[in-house]
Amino acid sequence: MEIKQLTEKAIALLKSLIETQSFSTEEDKTAVLIENWFKEYKIPFKRTKNNVWATNKYFDESKPTLLLNSHHDTVKPNSKYTNDPFKAFVEDGKLYGLGSNDAGGCLVSLIATFTKFYAVENLKYNLVIVASAEEENSGNNGLNSMLPIIPHIDVAIVGEPTLMNLAVAEKGLVVFDAEVDGTPSHAAHPNDNNAIYNTIEVLQWFKDFKFDKSSDALGDVKMTVTQINAGSQHNVVPGHVDLVIDVRVNDAYSNQEIADILQEQSPCTKITPRSLRLNSSSISLEHDLVKAGIAMGRETYGSPTLSDQSVLTCQSLKLGPGDSTRSHSANEFIYLAEIEEGIEIYVELLNRVII
């Protein structure tokens, strides 16, 4: 199957995906478009809720399995859009539209690559592709829900915009809800235990605190207070202040270890993680996928942004066309040349590893 033809079809699919609303949990119509691709190429597929998946023709349970994954849901359009976010159009080599860069270009490139290898015999790895839902909201019915359903995965390529460089590690995420207590009172009376004033020292603690262990690929754990809420009216001193803390976890810690440290050491009255399931992820620099990518001239780096890698327990590589800095931006776009290059690199990478 010619790469040029697959690329043209992939770009056409991406245009259709852009013009079909697919906010997280509302991906039913884009799932149909992906189903239609597999029908056209006579590839058997299954659909679980809004996740569409398939395996290669000569799947062999005795072989290791490589997952190809990207998502077809989008965030809602940025308020600064001047283009119609649901209108796919090309200008100066750029394909504009919501989800073009994050992660439509990656998704259609991986679908084209899977199609290229679908009927190849005697592969060293099985292939499973999952076009997943609910990535943008870390929902319950996305890739995480597919892991008990699809075959066991040994390694994964997760399609996110990386300029086709190798994200060999990715930070995890834990969001904490915290509380700083004080004594509620009338604003006219003395109060040496004002919860808002107590928060000053707490905020300084979060600003100054450093986790001991750094990572070669991901650097330090990054902790940021992102929300503060307190008080109901001008003449009432509140009894507590609510904080939200965003922690981006490197691969030197588990999410549980981060939670234990903050619950033991933070000066908050109470601090509770919302979830511990969005873990950091990585792949060995000695893995064949990474060595092949490096041999092809691709750079390696650690990614600070979260993806569906966070729900995988196997080694995983984040790799895809497009630029992460364009994700969730106004007038989102991807270069057509990036999609063309992306498919070429994906195919060459798999040729080096699974043929």
Side-chain angles (χ1 to χ4, degrees), residues 50-300:
N50 290 330
N51 304 280
V52 183
W53 63 283
T55 61
N56 62 304
K57 185 174 183 178
Y58 297 104
F59 189 96
D60 181 347
E61 291 185 359
S62 69
K63 296 179 180 180
T65 297
L66 168 62
L67 169 67
L68 306 178
N69 163 252
S70 192
H71 63 95
H72 59 106
D73 63 317
T74 72
V75 295
K76 293 185 177 179
N78 187 299
S79 62
K80 298 296 184 180
Y81 260 87
T82 57
N83 301 332
D84 180 349
F86 301 107
K87 178 66 176 177
F89 68 96
V90 177
E91 187 176 280
D92 298 327
K94 302 173 183 176
L95 173 56
Y96 286 88
L98 181 65
S100 56
N101 181 79
D102 183 16
C106 302
L107 175 64
V108 300
S109 297
L110 283 172
I111 290 174
T113 301
F114 173 83
T115 302
K116 173 75 174 172
F117 287 94
Y118 165 71
V120 177
E121 296 187 64
N122 300 314
L123 296 177
K124 295 177 182 176
Y125 282 78
N126 299 310
L127 293 178
V128 175
I129 188 163
V130 178
S132 55
E134 297 191 21
E135 190 272 347
E136 294 291 4
N137 70 341
S138 300
N140 293 324
N141 296 311
L143 180 61
N144 55 307
S145 71
M146 298 302 298
L147 299 179
I149 296 171
I150 63 176
H152 172 77
I153 302 302
D154 295 281
V155 67
I157 296 175
V158 176
E160 290 284 341
T162 70
L163 293 171
M164 291 309 293
N165 287 315
L166 312 171
V168 295
E170 176 188 274
K171 283 189 172 179
L173 170 65
V174 188
V175 177
F176 290 87
D177 293 299
E179 188 174 295
V180 180
D181 279 352
T183 302
S185 69
H186 195 292
H189 299 307
N191 185 343
D192 293 330
N193 191 31
N194 184 315
I196 293 176
Y197 294 159
N198 292 346
T199 304
I200 295 171
E201 290 185 4
V202 174
L203 293 176
Q204 191 65 49
W205 185 90
F206 280 110
K207 182 179 179 182
D208 294 341
F209 185 83
K210 302 293 183 186
F211 291 90
D212 292 334
K213 293 187 284 188
S214 190
S215 158
D216 291 340
L218 294 171
D220 295 334
V221 174
K222 187 176 188 302
M223 181 163 63
T224 310
V225 178
T226 55
Q227 291 177 258
I228 299 178
N229 184 56
S232 58
Q233 59 192 67
H234 78 90
N235 58 352
V236 177
V237 176
H240 67 272
V241 175
D242 295 319
L243 305 177
V244 176
I245 300 99
D246 178 295
V247 184
R248 304 289 165 152
V249 184
N250 65 22
D251 53 348
Y253 292 93
S254 69
N255 288 356
Q256 184 63 61
E257 287 174 321
I258 295 294
D260 291 343
I261 289 168
L262 292 185
Q263 289 175 334
E264 290 171 6
Q265 299 186 34
S266 82
C268 300
T269 308
K270 179 170 63 177
I271 183 165
T272 306
R274 293 181 181 177
S275 169
L276 296 174
R277 69 182 180 88
L278 302 176
N279 291 286
S280 62
S281 54
S282 64
I283 187 170
S284 169
L285 295 180
E286 296 303 311
H287 195 283
D288 287 346
L289 284 171
V290 178
K291 291 197 291 186
I294 292 172
M296 292 166 60
R298 313 318 298 176
E299 297 179 0
T300 63

Side-chain angles (χ1 to χ4, degrees), residues 27-46:
E27 311 94 342
D28 52 305
K29 293 182 175 61
T30 48
V32 171
L33 296 175
I34 296 163
E35 288 178 323
N36 290 341
W37 171 288
F38 290 127
K39 289 176 182 176
E40 180 177 348
Y41 286 98
K42 297 181 171 54
I43 297 174
F45 64 90
K46 295 181 181 179

